[in-house]
Amino acid sequence: MKNNYHKQFEILEKTRLNIITLAKKLDGTQQNTPTAPDKWSVNQIICHLIMAENGTLESMNKRIMYGKVKEKITILSAIRLFMLKFILNNKIKLKAPEAVAYPPNISDFDENITKWNEIRNKLKTYIQNFDATLANNMIFKHPIAGPMNLRQLLEYLHAHQSAHEKQIADIVSSISK
């Protein structure tokens, strides 16, 4: 794996593994039960994360396949990413993009983790094979933050996962009381 991205990937993976550890503190019923009518269950959050990561990978692969990685990242991209990370780190609620806004109400935790493992391995392979000449090019366009290069994308994925990690920790804490 490229040294530039290895550390970011390892941080992302550590957060994912912590989410899994937190979720395992609950039984299957608890994992599928929202704590309030307008909230997601732990499994819905995990499905949302899986959907987001898979959709991101699909988008990145399409950009590479169709040669749509020529656009360079600007300072505006860094500012938008900073603002998005601020929102995520401060538990400011955002409406999820349509493609990832409706995770299934009921799902199997073990099946979810198997799928997430597969997608995470694909992300790792993508990073290992990433063409370093594209380091400053847009490989993903986030619906809110806009164009991102691979480093920015990994920062965003970590901020996104961390926000949901806190959400899951709160759920586990509230159920354990």
Side-chain angles (χ1 to χ4, degrees), residues 76-134:
L76 185 57
S77 297
I79 292 167
R80 286 183 183 146
L81 176 61
F82 174 81
M83 291 182 350
L84 182 58
K85 285 170 48 178
F86 177 84
I87 289 167
L88 290 170
N89 290 332
N90 289 286
K91 295 185 177 183
I92 299 169
K93 188 166 173 131
L94 287 175
K95 182 168 174 31
E98 192 73 21
V100 296
Y102 303 102
N105 291 331
I106 304 292
S107 63
D108 181 79
F109 176 77
D110 291 331
E111 289 176 14
N112 292 340
I113 300 312
T114 297
K115 184 168 184 174
W116 205 359
N117 289 340
E118 291 169 5
I119 294 166
R120 184 52 59 93
N121 285 332
K122 288 178 184 176
L123 177 61
K124 184 176 183 177
T125 300
Y126 183 95
I127 294 168
Q128 288 171 331
N129 297 325
F130 188 70
D131 180 355
T133 64
L134 300 176

Side-chain angles (χ1 to χ4, degrees), residues 1-175:
M1 188 174 300
K2 307 281 191 287
N3 288 337
N4 301 2
Y5 308 113
H6 177 75
K7 184 177 179 184
Q8 284 182 288
F9 179 84
E10 291 302 317
I11 292 168
L12 184 64
E13 183 61 4
K14 184 178 176 184
T15 305
R16 184 181 80 96
L17 294 174
N18 195 46
I19 288 170
I20 293 168
T21 300
L22 283 167
K24 283 182 177 180
K25 293 180 180 182
L26 305 176
D27 64 34
T29 301
Q30 292 169 324
Q31 291 168 344
N32 279 304
T33 305
T35 56
D38 62 335
K39 303 286 183 187
W40 281 346
S41 70
V42 168
N43 274 352
Q44 285 178 300
I45 295 167
I46 290 172
C47 284
H48 163 77
L49 289 168
I50 293 167
M51 293 162 65
E53 195 166 312
N54 190 53
T56 299
L57 264 170
E58 287 177 359
S59 175
M60 291 167 21
N61 284 326
K62 284 180 185 174
R63 285 193 167 282
I64 296 287
M65 186 184 332
Y66 295 115
K68 294 186 175 185
V69 290
K70 294 180 177 118
E71 183 180 337
K72 298 287 184 189
I73 297 300
T74 66
I75 189 70
L76 185 57
S77 297
I79 292 167
R80 286 183 183 146
L81 176 61
F82 174 81
M83 291 182 350
L84 182 58
K85 285 170 48 178
F86 177 84
I87 289 167
L88 290 170
N89 290 332
N90 289 286
K91 295 185 177 183
I92 299 169
K93 188 166 173 131
L94 287 175
K95 182 168 174 31
E98 192 73 21
V100 296
Y102 303 102
N105 291 331
I106 304 292
S107 63
D108 181 79
F109 176 77
D110 291 331
E111 289 176 14
N112 292 340
I113 300 312
T114 297
K115 184 168 184 174
W116 205 359
N117 289 340
E118 291 169 5
I119 294 166
R120 184 52 59 93
N121 285 332
K122 288 178 184 176
L123 177 61
K124 184 176 183 177
T125 300
Y126 183 95
I127 294 168
Q128 288 171 331
N129 297 325
F130 188 70
D131 180 355
T133 64
L134 300 176
N136 293 318
N137 292 37
M138 176 177 72
I139 60 151
F140 180 72
K141 188 169 186 178
H142 187 274
I144 295 170
M148 294 181 183
N149 62 26
L150 183 56
R151 181 191 54 77
Q152 292 170 325
L153 175 66
L154 292 171
E155 281 182 39
Y156 158 71
L157 288 173
H158 178 252
H160 182 231
Q161 271 188 192
S162 292
H164 287 299
E165 176 187 24
K166 292 172 192 165
Q167 186 181 8
I168 290 172
D170 289 346
I171 292 169
V172 169
S173 177
S174 72
I175 291 174

